[in-house]
Amino acid sequence: MDRNTLYGMLGQTVESINMDLPVIRGKVRDIIELGSHLLIVTTDRISAFDRVLSTIPCKGEVLNRISLFWFGKTEDIIPNHVERVVSARSVLVRKCELVPVEVVVRGYLTGSAWRDYRKGRDISGIRLPDGMRFNERFEEPLVTPSTKAERGIHDEPISEERLVSEGIVTEELWKKIRETALRLYRRGSEVAAGNGMILVDTKYEFGLYEGELMLVDEIHTPDSSRYWYMDTYDELFERGEPQRKLDKEYLRQWLIGKGFMGDGEIPQIPDEVRVEVAWRYIKAYETVTGEEFRPESRGVEEEVSLLQTVVNGFSM
Ligand SMILES: Nc1ncnc2c1ncn2[C@@H]1O[C@H](COP(=O)(O)OP(=O)(O)OP(=O)(O)O)[C@@H](O)[C@H]1O
Ligand SMILES: [Mg+2]
């Protein structure tokens, strides 16, 4: 895979799937409901600041394949929603009753937690000691939940006490979720360390299928997680400088440079930037999985006919 190939792919991204069936569109995924199951298609759409901005070559495949990699590495901790892999970007999953909480686990003081800490605020109800520094590692990882807001509304941090007292989850279920999330984060950190990366923080979603708790959505992807390079962490931390990262930050910074932070008109994203973003997603895949990325790159029509076969088989 080289950058020239990616330029050639700019016109062939999968923006959305059209079928003779209702398709539910998330920011990134197109979802077909099949009763007890869902067909989830990870498109090439990219979102930042909660807005869909553009498409990025190979992004859907990269995200889905990184998730599949991690589902495989964590099956012994908790079952996940995957029933069958349909293509590099599409999976048939068990449709779960969602636990309406974004379960964020943080190993380091960074991002929104750092911004809140600097303003003297607590982090999802957790009071941190004074004198902590930018990007400092926590003794123990923190679980900082957010409510999963309705479409179009930003998720709100919430304390674990309120999650239970407001009846969003039962105490027993929350205990199980929190323990599982911490085990997943530990496993993620260990595997990432083997490939020279720090899994800084991440978000999990859980659901119930026939009463059983499962991991749903995506896991340890660059859309749901921060990754930093291990070899330069200490040096940059000591100097108080930003870490070298493998995540969506490049596009966010480019947008901020154009004065866009989610409101108003979306700036036109040039080809060079789309290719650079694609390149970084592919590097993320290769670094995290330790494998070379070879795109399957089916066109939309071929993807749709594959999906149609699954749908037909399902209604029989
Ligand atoms: N197994 C599952 N059962 C039910 N819902 C699921 C399952 N896996 C993922 N989902 C939901 O499907 C959606 C995935 O779509 P996408 O990631 O594009 O949405 P999103 O923009 O993150 O949406 P939202 O802001 O609504 O969460 C999410 O709302 C996620 O919670
Ligand atoms: Mg999502």
Side-chain angles (χ1 to χ4, degrees):
M1 202 62 179
D2 58 29
R3 282 174 213 250
N4 280 341
T5 315
L6 286 167
Y7 273 99
M9 293 170 95
L10 282 170
Q12 298 150 34
T13 55
V14 172
E15 203 200 326
S16 56
I17 290 293
N18 283 306
M19 295 181 70
D20 288 336
L21 283 162
V23 178
I24 303 165
R25 294 188 212 286
K27 283 188 284 289
V28 172
R29 292 173 180 82
D30 281 0
I31 302 170
I32 299 153
E33 295 224 35
L34 299 170
S36 59
H37 288 69
L38 301 173
L39 250 176
I40 300 188
V41 185
T42 309
T43 69
D44 294 326
R45 298 195 290 268
I46 189 163
S47 72
F49 305 111
D50 277 342
R51 300 270 302 271
V52 176
L53 305 169
S54 182
T55 59
I56 303 297
C58 304
K59 177 178 180 269
E61 271 195 39
V62 163
L63 282 189
N64 187 48
R65 288 167 64 179
I66 292 179
S67 269
L68 290 174
F69 170 83
W70 284 111
F71 280 135
K73 294 272 183 224
T74 54
E75 264 164 358
D76 60 319
I77 299 176
I78 183 173
N80 60 66
H81 69 169
V82 178
E83 171 106 12
R84 175 151 43 110
V85 179
V86 175
S87 73
R89 71 168 76 246
S90 302
V91 278
L92 180 69
V93 307
R94 298 171 195 100
K95 180 169 139 193
C96 295
E97 187 194 321
L98 286 179
V99 177
V101 180
E102 308 234 314
V103 185
V104 179
V105 182
R106 299 172 189 273
Y108 294 76
L109 182 56
T110 195
S112 65
W114 167 249
R115 288 194 292 276
D116 285 344
Y117 177 74
R118 260 203 328 189
K119 290 180 194 150
R121 296 184 190 152
D122 57 35
I123 322 297
S124 298
I126 301 168
R127 194 86 220 157
L128 291 172
D130 285 340
M132 284 195 74
R133 291 160 61 192
F134 177 51
N135 292 346
E136 187 169 340
R137 186 170 186 272
F138 297 123
E139 289 291 324
E140 291 295 326
L142 302 185
V143 180
T144 62
S146 284
T147 55
K148 211 173 139 49
E150 300 286 307
R151 197 174 289 260
I153 304 172
H154 296 287
D155 303 324
E156 288 287 339
I158 185 168
S159 69
E160 295 181 71
E161 289 75 34
R162 273 184 58 203
L163 271 182
V164 173
S165 68
E166 293 183 12
I168 298 167
V169 288
T170 63
E171 190 167 0
E172 194 192 351
L173 184 59
W174 178 249
K175 211 171 143 228
K176 189 164 177 195
I177 289 176
R178 133 183 271 286
E179 257 165 40
T180 308
L182 285 168
R183 287 181 68 197
L184 290 170
Y185 176 76
R186 288 221 171 78
R187 176 69 54 81
S189 304
E190 283 161 20
V191 175
N195 289 322
M197 300 306 295
I198 297 174
L199 178 63
V200 181
D201 45 41
T202 191
K203 177 219 71 172
Y204 304 107
E205 289 185 35
F206 294 88
L208 295 165
Y209 185 77
E210 294 173 352
E212 187 182 11
L213 187 67
M214 321 210 141
L215 185 59
V216 304
D217 206 50
E218 58 185 335
I219 166 169
H220 300 164
T221 68
D223 278 11
S224 67
S225 316
R226 276 194 185 84
Y227 286 98
W228 292 337
Y229 289 89
M230 248 163 114
D231 56 347
T232 41
Y233 171 79
D234 285 337
E235 192 188 327
L236 292 168
F237 171 67
E238 286 310 327
R239 285 197 259 140
E241 287 175 20
Q243 292 292 322
R244 282 168 60 224
K245 38 193 158 228
L246 245 191
D247 50 43
K248 286 213 302 193
E249 205 52 28
Y250 168 78
L251 182 65
R252 288 168 59 90
Q253 289 303 324
W254 184 87
L255 291 161
I256 292 171
K258 294 277 161 196
F260 180 82
M261 286 187 73
D263 297 315
E265 205 176 314
I266 294 166
Q268 182 73 37
I269 301 174
D271 286 357
E272 301 81 70
V273 173
R274 289 173 66 207
V275 165
E276 182 59 30
V277 174
W279 183 255
R280 286 169 182 243
Y281 270 97
I282 289 166
K283 287 297 134 201
Y285 174 89
E286 295 186 336
T287 312
V288 170
T289 66
E291 281 162 32
E292 192 191 334
F293 178 75
R294 289 198 200 82
E296 189 179 273
S297 43
R298 288 172 202 277
V300 183
E301 274 156 48
E302 205 190 325
E303 189 76 34
V304 168
S305 77
L306 207 55
L307 295 168
Q308 193 62 55
T309 318
V310 178
V311 172
N312 296 345
F314 220 83
S315 47
M316 280 189 327

